Amino acid sequence: SQKIEQNSEALNIQEGKTATLTCNYTNYSPAYLQWYRQDPGRGPVFLLLIRENEKEKRKERLKVTFDTTLKQSLFHITASQPADSATYLCALDRMDSNYQLIWGAGTKLIIKP
Amino acid sequence: DVKVTQSSRYLVKRTGEKVFLECVQDMDHENMFWYRQDPGLGLRLIYFSYDVKMKEKGDIPEGYSVSREKKERFSLILESASTNQTSMYLCASRPFGIREYFGPGTRLLVL
C-alpha cells in the first residue's frame, strides 16, 4: 500500500536560515504532490503543488523539489521568520482513487528569533 | 474568497450520544471530504462525496455516516459516540481540480 513519511520530530531553525522539510513516499509514483501549512487548532492551508514532470516549483520564499527517482519531495523556506512556525503537511494523489489524497503526519517547524 | 465553515469549533459529548457535525462551503465545489486528525497519524479520510446524495467510504468509515442533501452542505454523523472518536474533525472541499480547501476543524471530546 502507499506510504508517505515526514519527519515526526520537530525541526528547530534559527531565524533567517533556510528550513528544509522532507516528504518520502513508497509503493507508488504520484502524478503530483502538495504541501500544506497547518497552524494549531486550524485546518490546513494549501501552499504549493508540484507535478511529476516538474523538478522544482517556487513561490516567494518557498521552494519545492520533486525527485521521482528518490521518491522524495523537499520543501524549503528561505530567510525563515518566526511567523513561519507551523506544522507542514505533504499530500499526494492516491493510486486507487481520482478523488482522494494520502497525507503525511506533518513536521512541526519552529523558527527561533 | 473561498470559505468552508464547520458548525462547531469545540464539542463535548457523552458516550452513546448521536453527534452531528456540519460543513458548508460557498464555492459550488463538487467534492467534499471528512477527515479526522490524530497526533502522529496525519489526516485519515472518513467519507467523501463527489456529488449530491453520492458518498463513498474512506479509510476509516466505521462508526460514522454522512449525508449530502445539498451541494454546499456535507454532514458527518456519529451514530453512537465512543471515547475513541475523540479527535479533531476536518471538513474539506475541492473543485474539479486538485487542491483542497479546509474548514477550521471541530475538536470533539467524547466522555
Side-chain angles (χ1 to χ4, degrees):
Chain A
S1 62
Q2 283 178 272
K3 283 190 178 178
I4 184 167
E5 290 180 356
Q6 295 184 258
N7 196 333
S8 58
E9 290 185 14
L11 183 63
N12 288 276
I13 299 291
Q14 198 66 36
E15 182 178 7
K17 302 291 186 185
T18 296
T20 299
L21 287 73
T22 304
C23 177
N24 295 302
Y25 59 92
T26 58
N27 297 335
Y28 183 48
S29 296
Y32 55 86
L33 189 146
Q34 305 182 49
W35 284 90
Y36 288 75
R37 169 185 172 138
Q38 187 174 24
D39 291 291
R42 300 286 176 182
V45 175
F46 173 79
L47 295 174
L48 280 169
L49 178 148
I50 187 164
R51 297 182 188 276
E52 59 177 336
N53 60 350
E54 298 174 316
K55 295 291 184 190
E56 184 178 296
K57 204 89 171 271
R58 290 176 186 261
K59 179 183 176 183
E60 297 171 354
R61 294 185 296 113
L62 308 181
K63 184 177 86 171
V64 172
T65 61
F66 195 6
D67 189 325
T68 54
T69 302
L70 291 178
K71 294 189 182 299
Q72 181 182 80
S73 175
L74 299 179
F75 176 82
H76 307 272
I77 304 176
T78 57
S80 59
Q81 304 165 2
D84 295 325
S85 298
T87 296
Y88 291 86
L89 309 174
C90 67
L92 49 83
D93 60 300
R94 290 179 66 139
M95 58 183 170
D96 55 355
S97 172
N98 290 329
Y99 300 99
Q100 300 175 42
L101 300 176
I102 182 168
W103 293 84
T107 298
K108 185 174 183 178
L109 176 65
I110 301 167
I111 306 297
K112 296 182 176 179
Chain B
D1 203 13
V2 166
K3 197 159 187 185
V4 179
T5 56
Q6 295 184 229
S7 49
S8 305
R9 291 300 309 277
Y10 301 95
L11 216 48
V12 180
K13 295 291 180 182
R14 298 226 172 256
T15 301
E17 279 193 77
K18 193 167 186 175
V19 182
F20 292 87
L21 303 180
E22 200 162 68
C23 175
V24 179
Q25 50 102 355
D26 64 358
M27 300 159 285
D28 204 35
H29 289 168
E30 294 83 7
N31 307 304
M32 295 187 74
F33 305 81
W34 275 107
Y35 294 94
R36 65 177 280 177
Q37 185 176 34
D38 301 289
L41 292 181
L43 295 174
R44 292 183 292 166
L45 183 65
I46 304 171
Y47 268 97
F48 76 98
S49 169
Y50 52 90
D51 203 350
V52 175
K53 296 192 186 295
M54 305 304 289
K55 61 187 179 186
E56 283 198 20
K57 293 179 181 178
D59 298 314
I60 51 164
E62 296 78 18
Y64 304 94
S65 61
V66 290
S67 171
R68 193 166 180 200
E69 296 296 317
K70 293 185 178 181
K71 191 174 186 179
E72 68 271 18
R73 196 176 298 266
F74 191 34
S75 301
L76 178 70
I77 303 143
L78 286 65
E79 297 291 342
S80 177
S82 63
T83 54
N84 63 13
Q85 291 179 310
T86 291
S87 187
M88 173 74 140
Y89 290 87
L90 289 160
C91 173
S93 73
R94 187 196 307 164
F96 199 64
I98 298 169
R99 62 164 291 187
E100 294 190 4
Y101 296 82
F102 283 86
T106 296
R107 193 167 291 281
L108 173 67
L109 173 62
V110 182
L111 300 173

